[in-house]
């Protein structure tokens, strides 16, 4: 799974001089019943959107300062895994859990300093487990945003979960307030799919939000990992 992932290349950047925060995400992976890969990717993306939209993240909310500090620096996300008692301890910490009808659970927590993780999260493993889809994902639901993955990159499940979260966040930033609220009210419908090579070439030059990885783990700096499209709201490739 992924370590430090950011939505921008690791080049010289004034944001590097600011205190660095990370958005922790934890996916529940029980030995006997691991989640499907695509369901986990989509849950991670929704979890990021849920905390961005939460009232505690805005104004005088209890998470607002941490959210601001995190977004003023590099946008880092770290995905860890938990099961059993580990998951129960993580679930007791302030955060938001996204669950699906298929049993997938991903919990997102307010940002923490890079070296200031809560003890019940810092002990969780980052690497060592990957996920598979038992069947090919179905068609994209009507009215859903699509987070298109680069077909040429081979990323672990955790790395891809972080990248899907980045793609959802860039799309959230692109939308006007009214569209954000409509998306939130609908439950953040979205799909994560791997683009066909010919589609990917068009997507990366379309002007849509593109995630370019910082290159701290698994892939080269500046690699395009996700392009965010939302046909229902007019955010679409030509």
């Amino acid at each position: 799974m992924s370590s430090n992932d950011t939505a921008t290349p690791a080049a010289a950047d004034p944001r590097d001089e600011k205190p660095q925060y990370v958005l922790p995400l934890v996916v529940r992976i029980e030995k006997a019943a691991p989640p499907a890969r695509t369901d986990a990717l989509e849950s991670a993306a929704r979890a990021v959107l849920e905390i961005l939209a939460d009232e505690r993240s805005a104004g005088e909310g209890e998470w607002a300062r941490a959210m601001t500090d995190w977004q003023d620096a590099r946008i880092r996300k770290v995905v860890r895994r938990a099961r059993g008692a580990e998951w129960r301890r993580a679930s007791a910490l302030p955060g938001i859990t996204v669950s699906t009808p298929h049993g997938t659970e991903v919990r997102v927590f307010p940002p923490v300093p890079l070296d200031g993780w809560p003890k019940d999260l810092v002990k969780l493993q980052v690497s060592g487990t990957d996920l598979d889809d038992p069947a090919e994902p179905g068609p994209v639901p009507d009215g859903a945003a699509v987070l298109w993955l680069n077909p040429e990159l081979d990323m672990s499940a955790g790395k891809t979960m972080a990248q899907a979260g980045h793609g959802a966040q860039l799309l959230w930033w692109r939308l006007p307030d009214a569209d954000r609220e409509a998306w939130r009210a609908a439950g953040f419908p979205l799909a994560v799919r791997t683009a066909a090579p010919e589609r990917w070439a068009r997507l990366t030059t379309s002007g849509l939000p593109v995630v370019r990885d910082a290159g701290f783990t698994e892939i080269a700096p500046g690699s395009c990992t996700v392009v965010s499209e939302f046909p229902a709201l007019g955010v679409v490739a030509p």
Side-chain angles (χ1 to χ4, degrees), residues 148-150 153 155 163 200 211 213 219 223-227:
W148 293 107
L149 301 177
N150 186 335
L153 295 178
M155 298 184 290
Q163 299 301 306
W200 182 253
V211 178
D213 189 62
I219 58 177
S223 298
C224 296
T225 59
V226 178
V227 176

Side-chain angles (χ1 to χ4, degrees), residues 108-229:
V108 62
F109 305 85
V112 297
L114 281 177
D115 57 356
W117 282 66
K119 63 181 179 64
D120 286 328
L121 298 184
V122 75
K123 294 184 293 185
L124 300 178
Q125 292 191 20
V126 177
S127 60
T129 299
D130 212 336
L131 302 171
D132 297 309
D133 280 319
E136 287 296 315
V140 174
D142 291 340
V146 190
L147 307 177
W148 293 107
L149 301 177
N150 186 335
E152 299 176 354
L153 295 178
D154 183 16
M155 298 184 290
S156 67
K159 178 78 173 181
T160 314
M161 288 173 70
Q163 299 301 306
H166 293 332
Q169 186 167 0
L170 294 185
L171 183 56
W172 175 260
W173 285 348
R174 171 71 66 89
L175 297 176
D177 289 345
D179 286 345
R180 288 182 181 178
E181 177 54 29
W183 196 19
R184 185 203 63 76
F188 294 121
L190 60 84
V192 178
R193 298 290 187 270
T194 299
E198 61 275 12
R199 179 191 288 269
W200 182 253
R202 295 195 302 272
L203 288 167
T204 54
T205 58
S206 65
L208 294 173
V210 180
V211 178
R212 292 181 173 85
D213 189 62
F216 293 132
T217 62
E218 298 192 24
I219 58 177
S223 298
C224 296
T225 59
V226 178
V227 176
S228 305
E229 186 177 34

Side-chain angles (χ1 to χ4, degrees), residues 26 28 30 81-97 105 107-109 118-125:
V26 175
R28 183 178 185 180
E30 301 291 346
R81 59 186 173 93
R83 66 173 182 263
E86 295 173 330
W87 174 257
R88 291 191 292 273
R89 287 192 293 268
S91 296
L93 299 175
I96 301 169
T97 297
E105 292 181 273
R107 188 165 178 85
V108 62
F109 305 85
K119 63 181 179 64
D120 286 328
L121 298 184
V122 75
K123 294 184 293 185
L124 300 178
Q125 292 191 20

Side-chain angles (χ1 to χ4, degrees), residues 34-68:
R37 182 183 178 97
T38 296
D39 211 35
L41 302 183
E42 294 172 351
S43 297
R46 287 195 187 93
V48 171
L49 293 166
E50 289 286 357
I51 200 167
L52 288 169
D54 196 279
E55 62 183 11
R56 290 167 289 185
S57 298
E60 301 298 320
E62 60 190 282
W63 300 341
R65 178 61 182 271
M67 292 290 289
T68 297

Side-chain angles (χ1 to χ4, degrees), residues 7 85 104:
T104 299

